Amino acid sequence: SHRFVFGVKSGVAGNVNFLDEQTVIYPAGSNCILYHLDQKSQRFILGSDKSQGMSAIAVSPNRRYIAIAERSDKPIITIYDLHTLKRRKVLNAADYGFTEFVSLAFSPDSKYLASQGGKPDWTLLYWTWEKSKVMATTKTTNQHGAPIYQVTFSPQDNTQLCVNGNGIFKLFRYSEGNLKQFAFLKMEPHNYICQSWVTEDKVIVGTDNGRLFLFEAGELKNEFTLTTSGLAIDQASDSKNEDKSRINDIVTYEKGFICCNASGTTYIFEKGEEKDSYKKLKEIRLPYDNQHSDAPDSGVSEIKTLALSPSEEILICSTSDNQLYTVPVSTADMTKGDMPRFDVLTFPFHRDAITGMDTCIRKPLIATCSMDKSVRIWNFESGMLELHKDFQEEAFSVAIHPSGLYILVGFSDKLRLMNLLIDDIRTFREFTIRGCRECSFSNGGHLFAAVHGNVIQVYSTTTFDNVTNLKGHNGKVRSVRWSADDGSIISCGMDGAVYEWSVFTSKREGESVLKSCSYTDVTVSPEGKNIYAVGTDHTLKEICDSQILRDIHAGEAIFTQVAISHSGKMLFTGTSIGTIRSIKYPLTSTGEWQEFQAHSLGVTKLRLSYDDQYLFSVSEDGSFYVFKISEKEGRGLKRDKEVAFAEEILITKSDLEEKNAMMTELKTRVDELKMENEYQLRLKDMNYNEKIRELTEKFIQEMESLKTKNQVLKTEKDKEETRHEEQVNDVLEDHSKELQDLESANNQKLMSEYEKYQELQAKSQKMQEEYERQLNEMDESKEVALQDLTEYYENKLQEKSSQLEQANEEQQQLTREYDETKRQIEEDVDREIVDIKNKYERRLRDEKEANLRLKGETGIMRKKFTSLQKEIDEHKEEIKKLQGERVKLQNIIKSLEKDISGLKKEIQERDETIQDKEKRIYDLKKKNQELEKFKFVLDYKIKELKKQIEPRENDIKAMKEQIQEMESELERFHKQNVNLELNISELRLKLKATDKELRIARQKVRDSEALLKKFKVDLHDCVRYIQDPKKLKFSIENLYDKYVQNDTPEAANIDNDIQREYARQREHLERSVSSLRKKLTKDSEIHRADNVKIMQENVALIREINDLRRELKLAKGQVNDLEAALGVRKGTGIELLATQAHQMMANKNKAITREEDLKIIEMQKAEIAKLRIQIQEIEEHIAVRPPSNGHLPPVTAQ
């Protein structure tokens, strides 16, 4: 389980927040830390598995929930309950195409969540997080794909959001399932880095050049520019100053807002007297860091995020170098004259990757070193930073003495042995080992080993002499471990070797070399039998007696560190993705483990405390984790209580004398101050007693004066009460008199009004009777007039219906004639189509066979085919458009039919308009005549189109002849290709024979090499007896018998003959291959010229086809214009016919005529459709042409 975490992760949006006045939330590694400021305790929210680290954090306004966004191929947002630290919801955004969320924000009521996705689309998601539902999405970037930095909710409105980015400032409102932009920006865009809501409708926005804009509904209300007081600006460093003036974050409070910039300065603004104005109240800078001021402007860190406590009294900021600072910002602190100062929140953490770590045996201390040029000593029991010192060079490795009084630190220039004093780390011995990447004290502390490149140097800690040098590694040594008895050293390196060295003999006692693996760490079991090593091949290896017993694969991750407990019961590994794995021990063949989320980058060191109670890990992300080790059941491991940690510390004699002298001085000063304070207290007591006397006298006098005033006021009050009672009685008497007068007057008025009402009622009855009599008379006269009119118009309707029947008979005769001619034309066209189809199908078969042989040219033809296919798709789209127009016309007809039904009602209601309708009937007849004229014109146009088709058919015949000529050329090329293929097959057979001979020769070479290796091994055995001449002679004779006796000079001669024959055949084959290559190049040039010719002819034919298509399009356009005109006329004809039928008012005849008119319209539509089909068939005749060289399938227009 997690016990302490030292570090903070920068690069996370909103990476510091307040839970309450005493609890701060910040990320470290892949987890979130809840740090209590008073109790100095930590609680943890663990990251999810297989995530690539956190990208954004947001705490809900009610301080109950936290949303954590994590990077991955499918980014997720996890919502946790901050009281129980349990996971509430997981929001998945796998379908939106981005890998991370750049910003999160809760709504004011904490029910909704806004999440801004990253590149490429920068999609904003609006969630109801309790239901895991996306309510709305929108893309917030511009057309250039500019990045978005932040999203926020309005402090009072759940539906209003604000988004800012590079040149982007947008306000959105959620309504009806969509996020709609409103209040567009009315000024030139800037690079807007951050923003915060000052009120429910005003937003303050910070830019990258130190400017602040106050917007209300997209309109600029005010503008501020940050200027840092007390800083001289050099003209030569304008660009650097612009970078430093970038505003990184803004938080608002009751009286104004607080912002920070990249120069490490925080500005506190307060509302001014004028509207929309703010004045700068304070300017607080981060403390200057002398150790990290090598580069210009690098001494001050960059503030990235600000967080204000709920009471608005404490401000916490996180910096770019992984530090947390706090400063009081209450009104009392601001009104003080002194400038407020930033203090470190907990301890100064490492600013960069931690490169080394070691644990102490006698004290609860851990030493760490980092690329930030610092060495730190931590106490893992109290969770405190004991010592911290910065150096001028980067520290690569560190080792702490078992006593806890000394440390060994490897720098780029030297290896330094230092004393751990009470308040300092001082060097007392230096060793000339450059860039020592690994060092380690022995368990007894009397020796230490340091790595110098690929050599391990062992020194004495008492005499500082170089005891021995262990040479054998071919690559850099990555890890050095001592055995439990300090008798041997185990090392591993980048050369894939794991060696066990004897410290006393300086010789290798065991070795395991695997060149395919570059080892990173090694450890040894307490009894010294088994060695465990990890490396770049994703496996943990168990090595025993120089043999690899087991390999445990890590999966996708790489094991970077390994540690075994001193009791030999537990094994832990660190991975390249920052996780810690507790592996089941003893190891099994499959390997079982439990994984814990820790760091966000790879683990660089992993160590256990000597009592096996704690596990420590450090990482490249600068974080340092302390884990409490317990069994599966949750019980902690037993610890030997008799062995307590040492408490003694080092201090130099001069320091002790200085401190004693200071103590005596301070004691004397304390005594003097006591005397002074006592004297001052006496004086103050005397002064206070005098002041108390004066005040008591004053109070007595004031009390007497108040008593007299009170009596006077009481008498005045009694007088006023009596006067008020008299006035009330007078008013009541006057009121009763007025009431009586009003009642008598109103009674008289009521009597007169009632008499008038009765007279009016009698008059209204008389008038009603008269009106009823007049209405009856009017109804009778109207009925008589209606009967006369109906008789007259019925006679007229009969006449008109007879005329219409005659016209219909004539029209039917004409349609029959037209149908007969059309049927004959269709039969002729069908026969021609079938003949052409059969002919081209035969051609197609031939062309397909040719296609199989000429595969090389298919690629070019496919490209042409795709272009033609696009044209076909365009034609299809045109047809769809025409069909859409047809649907529109049908809708017009339906609407006209509705108008007809409406006109029926109007005819029944309005009998006066019958005479006007007769004139319209006359107009209808004229329009019918015009329609017949249009029909005649259409017939003439169709005949002209048929005449135009004939010359195009002649062109098609000419093209067919050209195609036949090209086919003959293709056959000739095919024959040439067949001959070339035969030549190539012969050459291949020859090459196969030479390959076989080469293999035989290589096999002989391998055999000879194997023999050489055997000879070398035997010769190496002989060298052992170099001091013993007899044994040496005997072994050399054995060598002679084994290797020389069987060889004869004849075999050597035979080998020479074989080599000569092989060389002669090889020369012959090389000459034949070169001649064949020349032939191939000549043939390919000839074919290339022929192909160019064919291509040119194809291009000419395609041009002709395109010209014909253009002409067809023009013809289609003319036909469409005519059809449109005809459709309009028909529409008007239907309307006029309908009006005529309504005027006649005969139900049966009217229905018959309408049906006949509809039949005529349908017949005309059918004619138009058939004409279109004919035009399409003509297009097919023109467009269907076999490809020039047999690779392009026929193009059919649809």
Side-chain angles (χ1 to χ4, degrees):
S1 59
H2 297 71
R3 181 169 172 81
F4 293 112
V5 177
F6 304 103
V8 64
K9 184 179 180 183
S10 59
V12 178
N15 70 338
V16 61
N17 292 276
F18 272 95
L19 173 58
D20 51 43
E21 281 298 319
Q22 298 300 324
T23 309
V24 181
I25 304 169
Y26 59 89
S30 61
N31 304 320
C32 257
I33 316 301
L34 280 74
Y35 180 74
H36 198 281
L37 297 175
D38 289 343
Q39 298 173 4
K40 310 291 183 189
S41 62
Q42 293 181 345
R43 293 188 295 157
F44 306 94
I45 298 173
L46 304 183
S48 58
D49 297 338
K50 296 181 180 178
S51 78
Q52 297 170 8
M54 288 176 277
S55 60
I57 293 173
V59 175
S60 62
N62 61 7
R63 313 279 177 183
R64 185 164 181 187
Y65 306 106
I66 184 171
I68 300 171
E70 292 174 296
R71 295 184 187 90
S72 69
D73 297 334
K74 296 177 180 178
I76 60 167
I77 301 170
T78 312
I79 313 289
Y80 293 92
D81 191 317
L82 285 170
H83 298 305
T84 62
L85 300 186
K86 289 182 180 178
R87 187 181 297 174
R88 284 290 302 269
K89 288 287 176 184
V90 177
L91 312 179
N92 199 328
D95 303 330
Y96 296 97
F98 52 82
T99 58
E100 66 171 345
F101 291 100
V102 297
S103 181
L104 299 176
F106 276 97
S107 62
D109 61 358
S110 305
K111 290 182 179 179
Y112 302 96
L113 181 71
S115 60
Q116 177 61 57
K119 58 185 178 183
D121 294 333
W122 304 97
T123 305
L124 177 65
L125 307 179
Y126 184 83
W127 302 80
T128 306
W129 65 265
E130 289 180 341
K131 297 178 182 177
S132 302
K133 183 181 177 184
V134 177
M135 303 289 286
T137 63
T138 186
K139 290 183 181 177
T140 52
T141 188
N142 54 21
Q143 63 268 25
H144 305 298
I148 305 296
Y149 303 128
Q150 192 179 2
V151 61
T152 55
F153 270 97
S154 168
Q156 302 294 330
D157 191 354
N158 284 344
T159 61
Q160 195 169 333
L161 296 98
C162 180
V163 169
N164 64 281
N166 191 351
I168 294 165
F169 176 78
K170 293 181 180 180
L171 293 164
F172 291 95
R173 182 172 280 118
Y174 174 77
S175 65
E176 299 175 356
N178 291 310
L179 284 168
K180 296 176 182 176
Q181 188 179 354
F182 72 98
F184 292 87
L185 194 64
K186 299 169 185 174
M187 64 175 285
E188 192 176 322
H190 296 266
N191 188 3
Y192 303 109
I193 303 296
C194 56
Q195 44 106 348
S196 185
W197 293 80
V198 181
T199 62
E200 61 183 11
D201 55 355
K202 291 177 185 174
V203 185
I204 189 89
V205 185
T207 65
D208 62 344
N209 55 6
R211 296 168 75 184
L212 289 161
F213 297 107
L214 183 67
F215 291 111
E216 183 178 1
E219 186 179 347
L220 182 65
K221 291 292 181 182
N222 205 344
E223 182 181 346
F224 317 96
T225 303
L226 294 185
T227 54
T228 305
S229 60
L231 289 177
I233 298 171
D234 187 9
Q235 291 180 352
S237 60
D238 287 339
S239 62
K240 288 178 184 175
N241 287 322
E242 282 179 13
D243 292 340
K244 290 290 179 185
S245 64
R246 183 179 68 252
I247 299 169
N248 285 331
D249 199 12
I250 303 172
V251 292
T252 53
Y253 68 106
E254 188 181 359
K255 294 183 178 179
F257 64 90
I258 304 169
C259 63
C260 62
N261 64 6
S263 66
T265 310
T266 302
Y267 303 87
I268 300 172
F269 283 83
E270 198 176 48
K271 286 178 186 174
E273 294 176 358
E274 296 178 9
K275 189 183 178 183
D276 298 331
S277 68
Y278 290 87
K279 60 180 180 180
K280 189 167 72 172
L281 189 65
K282 286 281 181 182
E283 183 180 312
I284 312 167
R285 291 180 62 82
L286 282 177
Y288 192 77
D289 187 2
N290 293 318
Q291 294 296 328
H292 299 88
S293 58
D294 300 336
D297 298 329
S298 65
V300 177
S301 305
E302 183 178 346
I303 300 175
K304 286 290 187 182
T305 311
L306 297 173
L308 199 61
S309 65
S311 64
E312 299 181 349
E313 292 184 353
I314 300 169
L315 180 72
I316 290 179
C317 69
S318 70
T319 63
S320 57
D321 58 355
N322 303 335
Q323 301 297 315
L324 291 172
Y325 292 95
T326 179
V327 64
V329 290
S330 61
T331 50
D333 294 314
M334 291 297 104
T335 51
K336 286 179 185 176
D338 298 334
M339 179 69 74
R341 289 182 59 192
F342 275 109
D343 295 317
V344 176
L345 180 67
T346 55
F347 314 108
F349 303 130
H350 280 294
R351 292 178 167 82
D352 209 336
I354 301 174
T355 54
M357 177 181 68
D358 198 18
T359 58
C360 180
I361 295 172
R362 292 284 295 117
K363 290 184 180 181
L365 299 180
I366 306 153
T368 58
C369 65
S370 170
M371 299 298 283
D372 62 2
K373 305 178 184 178
S374 71
V375 175
R376 296 167 203 257
I377 310 298
W378 309 85
N379 189 318
F380 60 80
E381 279 213 323
S382 63
M384 303 290 285
L385 179 64
E386 295 280 333
L387 279 173
H388 161 227
K389 187 163 185 180
D390 292 303
F391 295 91
Q392 295 300 319
E393 300 91 17
E394 293 170 348
F396 296 129
S397 60
V398 67
I400 190 165
H401 195 270
S403 65
L405 301 175
Y406 318 106
I407 61 166
L408 196 65
V409 185
F411 293 97
S412 57
D413 56 346
K414 287 180 182 178
L415 177 71
R416 293 182 173 88
L417 187 62
M418 302 180 179
N419 282 324
L420 289 179
L421 303 177
I422 189 168
D423 56 359
D424 195 11
I425 302 172
R426 289 186 193 168
T427 305
F428 71 91
R429 186 75 181 187
E430 291 182 345
F431 303 92
T432 56
I433 300 174
R434 288 178 174 274
C436 178
R437 297 275 176 179
E438 192 68 30
C439 59
S440 177
F441 279 103
S442 63
N443 294 312
H446 59 293
L447 298 172
F448 69 83
V451 173
H452 190 192
N454 56 2
V455 178
I456 302 165
Q457 296 182 348
V458 181
Y459 288 85
S460 170
T461 52
T462 52
T463 62
F464 309 118
D465 293 333
N466 187 358
V467 177
T468 184
N469 291 329
L470 307 177
K471 297 178 182 178
H473 282 281
N474 295 324
K476 288 184 179 178
V477 178
R478 296 294 298 273
S479 181
V480 173
R481 295 290 179 97
W482 292 82
S483 63
D485 59 357
D486 292 339
S488 58
I489 291 174
I490 293 88
S491 66
C492 69
M494 296 176 73
D495 56 352
V498 176
Y499 293 139
E500 185 178 358
W501 309 85
S502 172
V503 178
F504 307 111
T505 62
S506 304
K507 290 183 180 179
R508 286 203 294 257
E509 292 182 343
E511 61 180 56
S512 174
V513 180
L514 186 66
K515 290 186 178 178
S516 60
C517 175
S518 176
Y519 287 108
T520 54
D521 194 23
V522 69
T523 189
V524 61
S525 60
E527 67 274 8
K529 288 182 181 179
N530 296 341
I531 296 168
Y532 300 93
V534 293
T536 56
D537 62 349
H538 297 255
T539 59
L540 166 67
K541 295 178 177 61
E542 184 179 7
I543 302 167
C544 183
D545 296 330
S546 302
Q547 297 295 321
I548 296 171
L549 292 183
R550 286 180 194 84
D551 279 348
I552 294 175
H553 202 274
E556 294 179 1
I558 298 172
F559 288 128
T560 56
Q561 290 290 304
V562 61
I564 192 167
S565 64
H566 298 90
S567 62
K569 294 179 180 178
M570 297 172 288
L571 186 68
F572 298 95
T573 59
T575 66
S576 58
I577 58 173
T579 57
I580 307 295
R581 292 181 181 178
S582 173
I583 297 176
K584 188 177 180 182
Y585 191 81
L587 299 181
T588 59
S589 57
T590 55
E592 298 174 20
W593 63 70
Q594 192 175 358
E595 193 165 39
F596 302 93
Q597 295 296 320
H599 308 280
S600 58
L601 295 175
V603 177
T604 53
K605 293 290 176 186
L606 194 67
R607 296 288 185 269
L608 280 146
S609 62
Y610 190 72
D611 56 2
D612 294 339
Q613 294 284 320
Y614 299 99
L615 175 71
F616 315 108
S617 71
V618 294
S619 169
E620 294 170 8
D621 62 4
S623 62
F624 168 36
Y625 272 70
V626 180
F627 295 91
K628 175 76 175 168
I629 299 172
S630 58
E631 294 177 357
K632 276 189 177 180
E633 292 79 14
R635 297 194 305 270
L637 297 173
K638 291 181 181 178
R639 182 181 170 184
D640 192 356
K641 291 182 180 177
E642 293 178 4
V643 180
F645 287 120
E647 293 182 355
E648 61 271 9
I649 47 173
L650 276 182
I651 187 166
T652 60
K653 191 177 180 182
S654 59
D655 288 344
L656 188 63
E657 287 171 353
E658 281 177 12
K659 288 197 173 176
N660 287 331
M662 277 180 70
M663 280 177 73
T664 53
E665 281 180 12
L666 289 167
K667 278 180 182 177
T668 54
R669 282 182 67 186
V670 165
D671 293 336
E672 288 172 2
L673 285 166
K674 274 184 181 178
M675 295 287 287
E676 284 180 10
N677 284 332
E678 284 174 0
Y679 177 69
Q680 292 289 336
L681 280 167
R682 283 173 194 160
L683 286 172
K684 282 179 181 178
D685 285 338
M686 291 169 69
N687 290 326
Y688 286 139
N689 288 326
E690 288 177 1
K691 283 180 181 178
I692 286 163
R693 281 178 202 148
E694 290 173 0
L695 285 167
T696 50
E697 288 174 359
K698 278 183 184 178
F699 280 127
I700 290 162
Q701 289 174 1
E702 284 177 1
M703 281 174 72
E704 287 175 354
S705 65
L706 285 167
K707 279 179 183 178
T708 54
K709 278 182 183 178
N710 196 11
Q711 286 175 356
V712 171
L713 286 167
K714 273 184 181 178
T715 54
E716 285 179 358
K717 183 191 168 189
D718 294 335
K719 287 177 183 177
E720 286 291 324
E721 280 179 355
T722 55
R723 190 171 59 80
H724 180 69
E725 284 174 0
E726 289 172 358
Q727 286 178 356
V728 166
N729 292 327
D730 294 338
V731 168
L732 286 168
E733 287 174 2
D734 294 338
H735 181 65
S736 60
K737 287 177 184 176
E738 284 178 3
L739 264 174
Q740 289 173 0
D741 295 338
L742 285 167
E743 280 178 1
S744 61
N746 283 329
N747 286 330
Q748 289 174 0
K749 282 181 183 177
L750 274 169
M751 291 297 290
S752 63
E753 287 294 328
Y754 181 69
E755 288 171 359
K756 285 178 185 177
Y757 170 71
Q758 284 181 342
E759 288 173 3
L760 287 167
Q761 197 171 7
K763 280 182 184 178
S764 68
Q765 283 178 356
K766 287 177 185 176
M767 285 179 76
Q768 195 170 356
E769 288 170 0
E770 284 179 10
Y771 282 129
E772 283 176 357
R773 184 174 53 72
Q774 287 176 6
L775 277 168
N776 291 327
E777 289 173 359
M778 290 282 282
D779 287 338
E780 288 172 1
S781 61
K782 192 177 178 184
E783 282 176 3
V784 173
L786 265 171
Q787 284 175 359
D788 296 336
L789 283 168
T790 49
E791 287 173 2
Y792 172 70
Y793 283 114
E794 277 176 3
N795 294 327
K796 277 204 171 186
L797 265 173
Q798 286 175 359
E799 290 174 6
K800 296 292 177 186
S801 60
S802 61
Q803 289 175 4
L804 270 169
E805 284 173 3
Q806 288 174 2
N808 287 332
E809 286 173 2
E810 289 174 2
Q811 198 174 7
Q812 284 173 4
Q813 184 64 31
L814 286 166
T815 51
R816 282 190 215 102
E817 289 175 3
Y818 175 73
D819 289 336
E820 183 62 32
T821 52
K822 192 174 74 174
R823 187 179 57 74
Q824 289 173 2
I825 290 163
E826 283 175 356
E827 287 174 359
D828 295 337
V829 169
D830 289 339
R831 264 188 243 103
E832 287 176 7
I833 287 164
V834 170
D835 295 337
I836 291 162
K837 191 177 178 184
N838 293 331
K839 202 182 288 179
Y840 281 112
E841 279 177 356
R842 277 189 236 104
R843 289 273 173 82
L844 262 173
R845 286 191 212 101
D846 300 335
E847 295 299 331
K848 282 177 183 175
E849 289 172 3
N851 277 338
L852 294 169
R853 294 169 195 154
L854 299 168
K855 286 179 181 176
E857 296 177 6
T858 51
I860 300 160
M861 295 304 166
R862 274 178 190 155
K863 287 177 185 174
K864 292 178 183 175
F865 174 72
T866 50
S867 65
L868 291 169
Q869 194 70 37
K870 284 177 187 173
E871 290 179 6
I872 289 161
D873 294 336
E874 287 172 5
H875 286 306
K876 285 180 181 176
E877 286 173 5
E878 286 177 5
I879 289 159
K880 283 178 185 175
K881 285 178 186 174
L882 290 169
Q883 286 174 349
E885 288 175 4
R886 184 185 167 192
V887 170
K888 285 178 186 175
L889 288 168
Q890 284 176 350
N891 292 331
I892 291 163
I893 290 162
K894 286 177 183 175
S895 65
L896 288 169
E897 285 176 354
K898 287 178 185 175
D899 292 339
I900 288 162
S901 62
L903 285 166
K904 280 182 189 176
K905 292 174 185 175
E906 286 178 7
I907 287 160
Q908 290 172 0
E909 291 171 0
R910 299 178 184 179
D911 294 332
E912 294 173 0
T913 58
I914 291 166
Q915 292 175 357
D916 297 333
K917 304 290 180 182
E918 285 179 357
K919 291 177 185 176
R920 289 188 185 178
I921 290 163
Y922 179 71
D923 294 335
L924 271 173
K925 284 180 181 176
K926 282 185 179 177
K927 282 176 182 176
N928 273 329
Q929 289 172 0
E930 286 176 6
L931 280 171
E932 286 172 1
K933 288 175 186 175
F934 274 119
K935 186 182 174 187
F936 178 75
V937 170
L938 277 172
D939 291 334
Y940 180 71
K941 289 271 182 184
I942 289 160
K943 287 174 185 176
E944 282 184 348
L945 283 168
K946 284 177 181 176
K947 286 176 184 176
Q948 287 176 7
I949 288 162
E950 287 176 3
R952 288 174 186 170
E953 286 177 350
N954 295 328
D955 293 338
I956 289 161
K957 284 177 185 177
M959 288 174 187
K960 285 175 185 174
E961 289 172 1
Q962 283 182 3
I963 289 159
Q964 286 173 356
E965 289 174 4
M966 290 167 78
E967 282 172 357
S968 60
E969 285 180 3
L970 281 170
E971 285 174 4
R972 182 164 54 79
F973 291 144
H974 177 62
K975 287 174 184 175
Q976 288 176 358
N977 280 333
V978 168
N979 294 327
L980 286 168
E981 283 172 3
L982 289 168
N983 291 333
I984 289 160
S985 63
E986 287 174 6
L987 288 169
R988 280 178 182 158
L989 289 168
K990 289 176 182 176
L991 276 169
K992 280 180 184 176
T994 54
D995 284 339
K996 280 181 184 177
E997 289 173 2
L998 271 169
R999 284 194 208 102
I1000 292 159
R1002 282 174 185 158
Q1003 187 60 44
K1004 285 179 182 177
V1005 169
R1006 285 193 207 101
D1007 295 341
S1008 62
E1009 283 176 356
L1011 193 67
L1012 253 173
K1013 281 181 183 175
K1014 283 181 187 177
F1015 180 72
K1016 281 178 182 177
V1017 171
D1018 292 336
L1019 190 64
H1020 185 68
D1021 291 336
C1022 290
V1023 171
R1024 287 186 300 174
Y1025 308 117
I1026 199 154
Q1027 302 296 330
D1028 193 350
K1030 286 181 182 180
K1031 287 183 180 178
L1032 184 65
K1033 184 182 177 184
F1034 179 71
S1035 61
I1036 287 165
E1037 283 173 357
N1038 287 336
L1039 268 177
Y1040 181 79
D1041 293 338
K1042 191 173 179 180
Y1043 293 104
V1044 181
Q1045 205 169 11
N1046 295 330
D1047 291 345
T1048 56
E1050 290 176 4
N1053 292 329
I1054 290 160
D1055 289 339
N1056 291 329
D1057 294 337
I1058 288 162
Q1059 284 176 358
R1060 279 194 221 97
E1061 181 61 27
Y1062 170 70
R1064 189 177 61 76
Q1065 286 183 2
R1066 187 176 174 184
E1067 285 175 7
H1068 172 69
L1069 285 167
E1070 284 175 353
R1071 280 198 297 274
S1072 60
V1073 167
S1074 63
S1075 64
L1076 284 166
R1077 277 181 184 156
K1078 286 174 185 174
K1079 280 183 184 177
L1080 262 171
T1081 52
K1082 283 179 184 175
D1083 290 338
S1084 62
E1085 284 173 3
I1086 292 160
H1087 282 298
R1088 200 178 291 117
D1090 293 334
N1091 287 333
V1092 168
K1093 223 186 260 180
I1094 290 160
M1095 283 292 292
Q1096 287 171 353
E1097 288 174 0
N1098 280 338
V1099 169
L1101 288 168
I1102 286 160
R1103 277 202 204 104
E1104 288 175 10
I1105 288 164
N1106 289 332
D1107 294 337
L1108 288 168
R1109 280 191 179 140
R1110 281 193 210 100
E1111 290 174 9
L1112 261 174
K1113 278 183 183 176
L1114 290 169
K1116 268 189 179 179
Q1118 290 173 2
V1119 171
N1120 288 330
D1121 294 339
L1122 290 168
E1123 284 173 356
L1126 187 60
V1128 172
R1129 299 293 182 184
K1130 282 177 193 172
T1132 53
I1134 289 161
E1135 188 179 356
L1136 293 166
L1137 283 167
T1139 53
Q1140 180 186 1
H1142 293 314
Q1143 289 165 4
M1144 299 305 174
M1145 294 186 69
N1147 292 328
K1148 289 181 182 179
N1149 294 329
K1150 181 173 65 180
I1152 292 161
T1153 51
R1154 199 183 311 120
E1155 284 173 4
E1156 287 174 353
D1157 289 338
L1158 290 168
K1159 281 178 185 177
I1160 291 161
I1161 289 160
E1162 284 172 4
M1163 287 166 70
Q1164 287 175 352
K1165 283 180 182 176
E1167 275 182 37
I1168 290 160
K1170 285 174 183 176
L1171 285 168
R1172 283 179 182 166
I1173 291 161
Q1174 284 180 8
I1175 289 160
Q1176 286 175 0
E1177 287 170 354
I1178 290 158
E1179 283 177 5
E1180 285 173 3
H1181 282 302
I1182 294 162
V1184 172
R1185 186 183 65 80
S1188 58
N1189 57 356
H1191 293 293
L1192 185 66
V1195 179
T1196 56
Q1198 294 180 358

